[in-house]
Amino acid sequence: MADQEGLAEQAKRNGGESGGEDGALRDRLAAFDGIARAGGSVVRAGQSAAGEFAGGLAARIRRSLTADLDDRDPDYIRESLPLTWLLTTLWFRGEVRNMGNVPEQGPVLLVANHSGGNMTPDTLLFTLAFYTYFGVERAFYQLAHNLVLASPVGQILRRYGTVAASPEHAQRALDAGAALLVYPGGDWEVHLPIWERHKVDFANRQGFVRLALDAGVPIVPVVSIGGQETALFLSHGGRLARALRVDRTLRLKVIPISLALPWGVNVGDLLGHIPLPAKITVEVLAPIDVRAQFGNEPDVGEVYDHVTNLMQETLETLAAERRFPVIG
Amino acid sequence: MRLNESIVISAPPTLVWDYLAEPSNYLHFMSGITRWEVAGEQRTGLGARYRMLIRVGSAEVGGLIEIVEWDERRDMAWSSVLGVDQRGRWRLRELDDGRTRVELRFAYGVAGSGIPGWIAELVSAPQLGGHLRRSLRQLKRQVEHERMRADAAQRRAERNLA
């Protein structure tokens, strides 16, 4: 801009609007002015695009934190079932046992162990099994981490009935008479190191028991195996998460470290990975009516221990059936 | 995808029809079927509805079906009301020697599922075809066994009378 003013001053000194050299100078000035205007437009366009992007991202994250149960789209689910079936049948050789243990109707809290890093093939398989067994017409929701819903696949998951994990959203889904799938172990359990793959680890998160009691719904434990063999999970990275303070800023308790395709060493697993074709088996256990079994004022810790012990026993039985990792 | 299998059963169409018309028999002879329940008041006949599931690959697939054609001792057809799109048909034809030719037709798919749907139909066809063939073989075994028992009971009754 200083150069522009300098040139203008020189033009004034040279006689303003007279012809000859003055005219050439005026043309140069006009050209410079045009470039400056064009540059300003580009900058404004860039700022506008950046603003739109930031605004869009902020809106997406905000939206991910709210639960609109109406986002579930039965027609979309129905039309995408063949693709899910192909993936779970050909790649994961999936098997779901005893779906009949899920009550035929009414609200129910499905409590599952979680495995497979951010790719979670157990969720894919169980969701397919639920919708093919009961039909896409039955309301079914799954709770997921905020960041999962804010990711590019969040929009697809939302149409499948996935909502951000929070007690309010869970309560709202159950109040609507839906089946609700929760993973109390969440981001902690999904990244368990490979040597702990046959362990149910909810990190003492007992909220699901209170949720079932408040809503007065049965708990149906769901146990899956195989997901933790889709990559070589080495560490939660819990200390790293605390050191980087993402446990507070992003509700991330872990920054997992694994060996996974196609990255080799995979830190964070934020971009996901290509899962190994491990055989996934899911077993649904009998429903637990908490008040009928533990009395009107049950001890939450006792119920938690009962559920996790049942799931651990089942997981060990499923593990005993497996002869080889990945192959199953 | 449309599948078609047939078999000849050494029994008259009436016996085969009576066996097929009874919904509680389906869990016994239909291969891969994990559920076949009457839905609603009507147990059998035109308009009867059933909730059925068949294991295919990683899932139990099916839904609510309704009998849409009921021509006694000849044709029984069903169509899906909810769940995966499907149409099925039992076609019974009497042969000259008193035996019955039984044909089972089954068409299925998911409308709107595009190329993945088409691939899934192709991939699932061999398994479903196997289920249909085994179902017909089991139907033949069951009906012929029923006929043998009926004949034996008749012979016993005749002996007792004599």
Side-chain angles (χ1 to χ4, degrees):
Chain A
M1 192 58 80
D3 284 348
Q4 194 179 359
E5 283 169 7
L7 286 169
E9 191 59 38
Q10 191 179 345
K12 207 174 178 180
R13 280 201 305 273
N14 288 344
E17 296 176 349
S18 59
E21 286 181 2
D22 296 345
L25 187 62
R26 198 172 57 244
D27 290 346
R28 280 175 62 198
L29 255 179
F32 191 91
D33 193 38
I35 291 167
R37 276 188 200 150
S41 303
V42 169
V43 169
R44 277 194 297 278
Q47 283 173 336
S48 169
E52 276 179 26
F53 177 75
L57 190 63
R60 178 181 276 188
I61 292 171
R62 267 201 309 277
R63 193 168 147 67
S64 77
L65 299 178
T66 61
D68 186 351
L69 301 185
D70 203 33
D71 281 344
R72 201 184 76 88
D73 185 344
D75 293 326
Y76 175 79
I77 296 166
R78 187 171 180 278
E79 286 163 9
S80 57
L81 285 179
L83 179 61
T84 316
W85 180 85
L86 280 171
L87 277 172
T88 54
T89 299
L90 299 181
W91 195 252
F92 295 115
R93 293 163 290 139
E95 182 188 352
V96 180
R97 302 174 183 171
N98 303 329
M99 271 306 285
N101 276 333
V102 179
E104 279 293 319
Q105 51 197 354
V108 57
L109 184 64
L110 302 152
V111 177
N113 65 321
H114 213 6
S115 60
N118 287 350
M119 303 311 289
T120 62
D122 47 4
T123 313
L124 195 69
L125 177 60
F126 184 77
T127 306
L128 168 80
F130 188 95
Y131 281 129
T132 56
Y133 193 94
F134 293 106
V136 296
E137 296 77 17
R138 182 169 183 185
F140 173 45
Y141 297 95
Q142 314 89 43
L143 295 191
H145 198 282
N146 298 342
L147 283 182
V148 174
L149 284 166
S151 75
V153 294
Q155 199 56 34
I156 295 173
L157 296 178
R158 201 179 282 283
R159 295 171 83 177
Y160 252 85
T162 307
V163 291
S166 78
E168 296 76 33
H169 294 169
Q171 191 70 49
R172 204 183 305 169
L174 291 172
D175 288 347
L180 179 71
L181 174 65
V182 295
Y183 293 105
D187 56 349
W188 177 261
E189 190 180 36
V190 84
H191 296 293
L192 279 179
I194 189 86
W195 50 89
E196 291 182 7
R197 66 189 185 279
H198 299 150
K199 184 178 169 189
V200 174
D201 187 355
F202 288 174
N204 207 32
R205 296 169 185 171
Q206 304 181 357
F208 71 90
V209 180
R210 290 186 202 94
L211 178 65
L213 286 169
D214 290 346
V217 300
I219 292 174
V220 174
V222 178
V223 182
S224 66
I225 193 168
Q228 220 58 10
E229 294 168 10
T230 56
L232 191 63
F233 295 94
L234 299 173
S235 169
H236 287 114
R239 283 184 198 167
L240 187 58
R242 283 192 295 277
L244 295 175
R245 293 180 165 268
V246 290
D247 57 334
R248 292 182 184 179
T249 53
L250 297 173
R251 281 182 58 201
L252 273 179
K253 303 281 181 273
V254 296
I255 297 183
I257 300 164
S258 62
L259 295 179
L261 296 172
W263 318 111
V265 177
N266 185 16
V267 180
D269 202 24
L270 281 177
L271 293 175
H273 59 271
I274 299 173
L276 296 175
K279 179 173 172 56
I280 310 290
T281 307
V282 177
E283 182 156 340
V284 182
L285 307 187
I288 300 166
D289 184 334
V290 179
R291 287 208 166 84
Q293 204 165 330
F294 294 88
N296 278 336
E297 297 294 331
D299 179 72
V300 171
E302 187 188 355
V303 179
Y304 173 85
D305 286 343
H306 176 71
V307 173
T308 49
N309 285 341
L310 267 180
M311 293 178 72
Q312 184 62 52
E313 284 168 18
T314 309
L315 186 58
E316 283 168 15
T317 308
L318 291 174
E321 289 178 16
R322 289 172 88 83
R323 285 168 296 173
F324 302 104
V326 181
I327 296 168
Chain B
M1 179 62 64
R2 183 176 165 175
L3 304 172
N4 196 349
E5 297 290 339
S6 65
I7 202 165
V8 174
I9 296 177
S10 301
T14 311
L15 266 183
V16 182
W17 181 266
D18 288 347
Y19 194 81
L20 290 176
E22 174 51 49
S24 63
N25 287 334
Y26 280 71
L27 276 173
H28 295 297
F29 81 93
M30 286 288 278
S31 170
I33 291 282
T34 57
R35 187 171 209 177
W36 193 283
E37 291 173 357
V38 177
E41 299 292 313
Q42 191 178 342
R43 184 173 172 75
T44 187
L46 187 67
R49 287 184 167 194
Y50 307 103
R51 247 203 101 199
M52 59 79 65
L53 290 168
I54 185 167
R55 183 169 287 285
V56 192
S58 60
E60 291 169 82
V61 182
L64 185 67
I65 60 169
E66 182 177 319
I67 302 292
V68 291
E69 195 179 328
W70 184 269
D71 182 4
E72 291 219 11
R73 292 178 292 280
R74 287 182 65 81
D75 280 276
M76 184 199 307
W78 69 87
S79 181
S80 54
V81 178
L82 294 174
V84 170
D85 302 318
Q86 58 165 301
R87 286 186 69 85
R89 175 180 294 273
W90 291 108
R91 192 174 156 88
L92 278 54
R93 292 294 180 269
E94 187 167 14
L95 301 176
D96 293 339
D97 53 4
R99 295 186 300 165
T100 306
R101 181 183 171 78
V102 179
E103 196 178 341
L104 174 55
R105 295 176 183 170
F106 189 64
Y108 63 96
V110 177
S113 57
I115 292 171
W118 176 69
I119 297 171
E121 287 173 31
L122 286 177
V123 170
S124 59
Q127 193 183 2
L128 274 170
H131 281 322
L132 299 193
R133 281 191 295 279
R134 278 191 293 280
S135 298
L136 284 174
R137 284 203 296 270
Q138 283 165 188
L139 174 69
K140 177 181 168 71
R141 208 173 296 133
Q142 296 277 359
V143 172
E144 290 180 352
H145 183 68
E146 291 281 322
R147 185 187 187 177
M148 279 172 62
R149 286 181 61 189
D151 289 350
Q154 194 177 347
R155 282 197 300 275
R156 269 199 307 277
E158 285 169 3
R159 270 203 307 273
N160 290 340
L161 280 176

